[in-house]
Amino acid sequence: MSELSTTPELIASNKCFGGWLKRYKHQSASTGTEMVFAIYLPPQAQSKPVPVLYWLSGLTCTDENFTQKAGAQRLAAELGMAIVCPDTSPRGTNHPGEHDSYDFGSAAGFYVNATQAPWAENYRMYDYVVDELPALIEENFPVTDQRSISGHSMGGHGALICALKNPGRYQSVSAFAPISNPINCPWGEKALGGYLGNDRESWKAWDSCELIATAEERLPLLVDQGEADNFLSEQLKPEALQQACESAGHPLELRMQPGYDHSYFFIATFIGDHLEHHAKALGLK
């Protein structure tokens, strides 16, 4: 990654449960594009630095889906936890095919570093999420270097791989309906094939089930999955994650939730449990 990106520019600011939800844009060194992120700063941040939960959203999403639909700010304010929500891809690169489908290109960065032209030039969301954005946040906002990570669907995949590939970087990890085994599902095969090329062996570096086998750190995984999720069997494959964890002795709490689907109604129902999970790891409980 090149030099740290420029100072973020405020787009919007809303007071919320005594804290502030703010949106910023900045020029990213990782993606070579302007990127947007949201940050919720709880009231405690007015007097001392607070730890951060990074939230990674799913296909078709922006930074705004979680902040407007999950209902996480009330409990984050009580706990004293900041929440940072990046966008899901670079925008406006004008690569051929960037806007042709919902599951590849714009809003579908998959949290990998692309190696194939033309995507390799800009689609480096892994570097952005793991390195550039936290450095930017820690330099410009009243936060500590204590980090946790979570996400939904494509973002659940992102949260899991970011934690598994970076031992010691995150205090905790969780996911909602993650794409658990992308090398073996249509969404993953399309994204990894497009961004990384046809060598399926190279895809394994971005697959949670493959990474768990050799993980250097055994952070407990909290995963919620709706049993009425339309994408459950074809795309998400929680059973593969469960098998990988059992084989490697990796701690996993997989909660299959009867009647819940893939939507933010599902996320809003259980987000409190996830915030509590991260708060304990971050020393807030």
Side-chain angles (χ1 to χ4, degrees):
M1 190 181 76
S2 56
E3 289 300 310
L4 183 65
S5 53
T6 55
T7 302
E9 178 184 341
L10 183 66
I11 300 171
S13 181
N14 300 95
K15 193 165 187 179
C16 186
F17 296 107
W20 290 91
L21 175 63
K22 301 186 177 188
R23 295 184 75 216
Y24 290 87
K25 62 182 179 180
H26 71 108
Q27 190 65 31
S28 168
S30 301
T31 68
T33 66
E34 185 176 84
M35 294 293 291
V36 173
F37 66 87
I39 180 169
Y40 178 68
L41 291 168
Q44 295 87 339
Q46 297 171 29
S47 58
K48 64 178 181 180
V50 296
V52 182
L53 172 65
Y54 288 86
W55 173 269
L56 307 184
S57 288
L59 292 167
T60 77
C61 291
T62 70
D63 63 287
E64 294 188 289
N65 295 73
F66 181 83
T67 60
Q68 295 181 0
K69 296 179 179 180
Q73 291 93 336
R74 181 193 293 272
L75 184 53
E78 295 175 9
L79 294 169
M81 177 189 299
I83 303 177
V84 171
C85 305
D87 202 352
T88 53
S89 79
R91 303 281 177 170
T93 64
N94 295 318
H95 296 316
E98 184 176 29
H99 302 286
D100 288 355
S101 59
Y102 79 95
D103 55 357
F104 188 81
S106 186
F110 237 79
Y111 305 103
V112 302
N113 286 338
T115 59
Q116 299 299 296
W119 311 102
E121 182 182 354
N122 307 108
Y123 278 68
R124 304 188 63 81
M125 288 299 294
Y126 175 78
D127 279 356
Y128 180 72
V129 165
V130 171
D131 294 319
E132 182 179 7
L133 185 59
L136 186 74
I137 296 296
E138 288 162 22
E139 181 173 321
N140 290 280
F141 298 95
V143 301
T144 70
D145 61 359
Q146 296 293 289
R147 313 174 199 93
S148 293
I149 193 164
S150 186
H152 172 232
S153 194
M154 177 184 73
H157 143 79
L160 294 177
I161 64 166
C162 287
L164 289 165
K165 290 167 73 73
N166 294 278
R169 187 152 186 79
Y170 301 99
Q171 305 304 119
S172 53
V173 58
S174 73
F176 288 82
I179 303 171
S180 298
N181 191 201
I183 66 173
N184 289 313
C185 78
W187 279 341
E189 290 172 345
K190 181 175 182 177
L192 298 178
Y195 294 135
L196 305 176
N198 295 326
D199 178 11
R200 295 179 70 97
E201 194 66 27
S202 70
W203 300 2
K204 293 181 179 180
W206 307 98
D207 185 295
S208 298
C209 292
E210 297 289 334
L211 293 169
I212 281 167
T214 57
E216 297 178 19
E217 180 181 45
R218 297 296 177 191
L219 275 185
L221 309 182
L222 171 61
V223 176
D224 273 309
Q225 173 64 61
E227 290 186 352
D229 192 320
N230 291 337
F231 304 112
L232 178 57
S233 59
E234 183 180 29
Q235 303 285 12
L236 305 178
K237 303 187 180 298
E239 69 283 354
L241 181 65
Q242 187 170 36
Q243 180 58 52
C245 287
E246 289 176 357
S247 297
H250 195 110
L252 166 68
E253 183 179 2
L254 174 61
R255 309 194 309 182
M256 301 299 297
Q257 305 291 2
Y260 286 92
D261 57 20
H262 199 68
S263 72
Y264 264 85
F265 297 109
F266 161 57
I267 296 171
T269 302
F270 299 105
I271 191 62
D273 293 347
H274 286 244
L275 293 186
E276 296 280 0
H277 168 77
H278 296 299
K280 291 176 184 176
L282 292 167
L284 296 173
K285 297 288 287 184

